[in-house]
Amino acid sequence: LIDDHPMVLKGLEQLLQLNADFDVVATCGTAVEGVQAVEALRPDVLLLDLKMPGEDGLSVLRRLDPDQPPAVVVLTASQDEDDLIAAARLGARGIVLKAMAPRVLEDCIRAVHAGGLSLSVGGVDLSDRLAQRKRVENELQHILTPREFEIVRLVAARLDNQEIAARLSISVGTAKIHLHHVFEKMQLRGRHDLQIYLREKMY
């Protein structure tokens, strides 16, 4: 279990240990401690908080061993669809909101341990949204260069030209040139049209 709130960790540990088929092998309050525990103990399932100070849950997902990852269940108070889909893209197999009943969490853990997915949140199947985004991304990768595609994703993350330039270590002028090429290739009139496209098709 990885969560930065000690009371939440304790409550989760006590809840799960009421089930004879669950064995909590470690409780960790930071991403760093959690990754170390996963590497040392190789648990079957990792229950992971998404929003934590410092390194967050998405950072943990990026650092897991791709050859021996645990089945990850994200337990979060956030209903930000972008965050949840990002977690699914990085390998989370289950997502449970903290406002849900304990039985939902228990069922989700059993489902992902058995090899399944449990990515329906608030009546929305995130696996369908994820598949739709992947289809659109594949289409864009056929018409855009890798750098142009990267810039499109940064626009989707609501970064302005200066932030994009800083993130990619390029000049603002170069970022604008790349964006101009994106607009031409996608037959869009400008950033506003691109943001509308991304919101309707992917985000």
Side-chain angles (χ1 to χ4, degrees), residues 117-166:
L117 292 173
S118 183
L119 297 174
S120 181
V121 177
V124 176
D125 189 341
L126 296 181
S127 57
D128 287 346
R129 295 287 181 91
L130 191 60
Q132 164 68 8
R133 287 192 183 190
K134 191 63 179 175
R135 284 193 294 270
V136 175
E137 287 180 354
N138 287 340
E139 292 172 4
L140 292 180
Q141 285 174 323
H142 279 95
I143 64 174
L144 303 177
T145 68
R147 176 49 60 92
E148 290 165 354
F149 181 73
E150 191 173 14
I151 287 177
V152 166
R153 296 195 65 171
L154 294 177
V155 170
R158 302 180 181 88
L159 273 64
D160 61 27
N161 288 348
Q162 288 187 329
E163 292 169 324
I164 290 172

Side-chain angles (χ1 to χ4, degrees), residues 37-180:
V38 169
E39 290 173 347
L41 300 169
R42 298 294 177 186
D44 297 313
V45 178
L46 168 61
L47 185 57
L48 175 65
D49 187 17
L50 202 56
K51 298 291 189 181
M52 297 184 289
E55 292 191 70
D56 61 10
L58 297 180
S59 176
V60 172
L61 287 166
R62 292 186 187 98
R63 293 176 57 187
L64 295 177
D65 182 351
D67 295 324
Q68 289 184 292
V72 177
V73 174
V74 167
L75 179 63
T76 180
S78 172
Q79 296 190 49
D80 186 311
E81 190 173 296
D82 286 346
D83 286 342
L84 301 181
I85 289 181
R89 288 175 65 94
L90 290 169
R93 301 190 62 80
I95 295 175
V96 177
L97 299 179
K98 288 184 176 179
M100 291 179 173
R103 181 60 183 270
V104 175
L105 175 61
E106 295 165 8
D107 289 346
C108 181
I109 291 172
R110 291 188 176 95
V112 301
H113 180 253
L117 292 173
S118 183
L119 297 174
S120 181
V121 177
V124 176
D125 189 341
L126 296 181
S127 57
D128 287 346
R129 295 287 181 91
L130 191 60
Q132 164 68 8
R133 287 192 183 190
K134 191 63 179 175
R135 284 193 294 270
V136 175
E137 287 180 354
N138 287 340
E139 292 172 4
L140 292 180
Q141 285 174 323
H142 279 95
I143 64 174
L144 303 177
T145 68
R147 176 49 60 92
E148 290 165 354
F149 181 73
E150 191 173 14
I151 287 177
V152 166
R153 296 195 65 171
L154 294 177
V155 170
R158 302 180 181 88
L159 273 64
D160 61 27
N161 288 348
Q162 288 187 329
E163 292 169 324
I164 290 172
R167 180 74 65 88
L168 300 179
S169 299
I170 59 178
S171 71
V172 174
T174 300
K176 289 180 178 178
I177 290 171
H178 283 307
L179 271 172
H180 180 70

